Amino acid sequence: MTGPNKNLKFPISNYNRLCFLKNIVKNPNIIIGDYTYYDDFENVENFEKNVKYHFDFIGDKLIIGKFCMIASGVTFIMNGANHMTDALTSYPFAIFGNGWEKAMDNKSYPIKGDINIGNDVWIGYNATIMSGVTIGDGAIIATNSTVIKDVEPYAIVGGNPAHEIKKRFTGETIAKLLETRWWDWEIEKITENVQNLTDSHIDNYLNKI
């Protein structure tokens, strides 16, 4: 046995509200790793609708690693939402034309960068991730959080704006876990180790691999 087929749209029989996300995303600027799933209360096609202000002419990317867990209502705010904050006004005159089209000549709207989400990241219901944010491997984003800055690996964050609540493990253990990069193993090895990967006795797992 080698686990579920990563190329299936719906990996759970007779259940179409959870999908392997890479198999439903059409936008080439949304890059999804294997086995990352999205669960939606209504329709998994809502995922791309929840990637907001993602305009082709900007070219920014949403990048999500492997084995991530994304709950219903998670929203990603891309760079198209940004307005100028260092000018007299943040109003976007140029988009309306009719004599305002030159308002942005020799100027540009702020670009904060791609959204980068690591591997084995759990993003809870109704969380919001802002442009330019990087979320480290193994992190957990609590329900209703608004993430406006980077999240360290294996950190648990929550709130609006989100702040670190605690680390999941000690610094030494986190370093060892990051070194193993289990999400990059061959699927046969992952399948052989699913008991170890779900063991709360982390030292036992580290000693067995």
Side-chain angles (χ1 to χ4, degrees):
M1 296 290 289
T2 56
N5 183 345
K6 65 184 180 182
N7 296 314
L8 287 176
K9 184 174 181 179
F10 300 113
I12 301 175
S13 298
N14 303 314
Y15 189 75
N16 64 1
R17 295 192 312 189
L18 183 148
C19 67
F20 280 160
L21 191 52
K22 73 166 193 174
N23 302 318
I24 71 158
V25 167
K26 299 178 178 65
N27 189 324
N29 285 332
I30 302 176
I31 301 164
I32 311 292
D34 292 340
Y35 301 101
T36 283
Y37 73 75
Y38 172 62
D39 185 43
D40 193 279
F41 296 145
E42 298 172 353
N43 187 334
V44 295
E45 301 295 338
N46 286 333
F47 180 83
E48 284 196 60
K49 296 177 183 177
N50 291 337
V51 182
K52 307 292 189 183
Y53 307 101
H54 197 197
F55 303 127
D56 291 343
F57 64 87
I58 294 178
D60 51 346
K61 293 179 172 61
L62 168 59
I63 303 168
I64 302 175
K66 302 174 184 177
F67 294 95
C68 292
M69 302 139 277
I70 304 174
S72 186
V74 172
T75 302
F76 303 88
I77 306 296
M78 306 302 288
N79 286 282
N82 296 334
H83 292 238
M84 294 188 299
T85 58
D86 57 354
L88 189 150
T89 179
S90 57
Y91 193 84
F93 287 98
I95 68 172
F96 298 105
N98 291 289
W100 293 355
E101 57 273 358
K102 294 185 178 181
M104 288 298 292
D105 284 3
N106 301 313
K107 308 180 186 75
S108 60
Y109 294 108
I111 301 293
K112 297 181 180 180
D114 298 335
I115 295 177
N116 283 280
I117 297 171
N119 306 281
D120 189 24
V121 173
W122 175 18
I123 306 179
Y125 169 70
N126 210 38
T128 300
I129 316 297
M130 302 301 291
S131 59
V133 163
T134 293
I135 298 176
D137 298 325
I140 296 174
I141 312 302
T143 293
N144 290 322
S145 298
T146 300
V147 182
I148 64 171
K149 63 181 181 180
D150 292 353
V151 177
E152 293 186 0
Y154 291 95
I156 300 174
V157 303
N160 183 4
H163 64 279
E164 185 174 306
I165 298 169
K166 66 176 184 177
K167 290 289 198 307
R168 293 177 60 191
F169 311 112
T170 67
E172 180 181 2
T173 297
I174 289 172
K176 290 178 180 177
L177 289 170
L178 291 173
E179 187 177 347
T180 69
R181 297 188 61 82
W182 68 262
W183 43 82
D184 287 335
W185 293 351
E186 296 294 331
I187 195 61
E188 292 82 3
K189 182 176 179 180
I190 291 174
T191 301
E192 290 170 3
N193 281 274
V194 289
Q195 284 286 341
N196 294 326
L197 290 168
T198 55
D199 193 341
S200 59
H201 299 286
I202 306 300
D203 290 338
N204 291 345
Y205 154 74
L206 292 171
N207 291 331
K208 290 177 181 178
I209 61 172

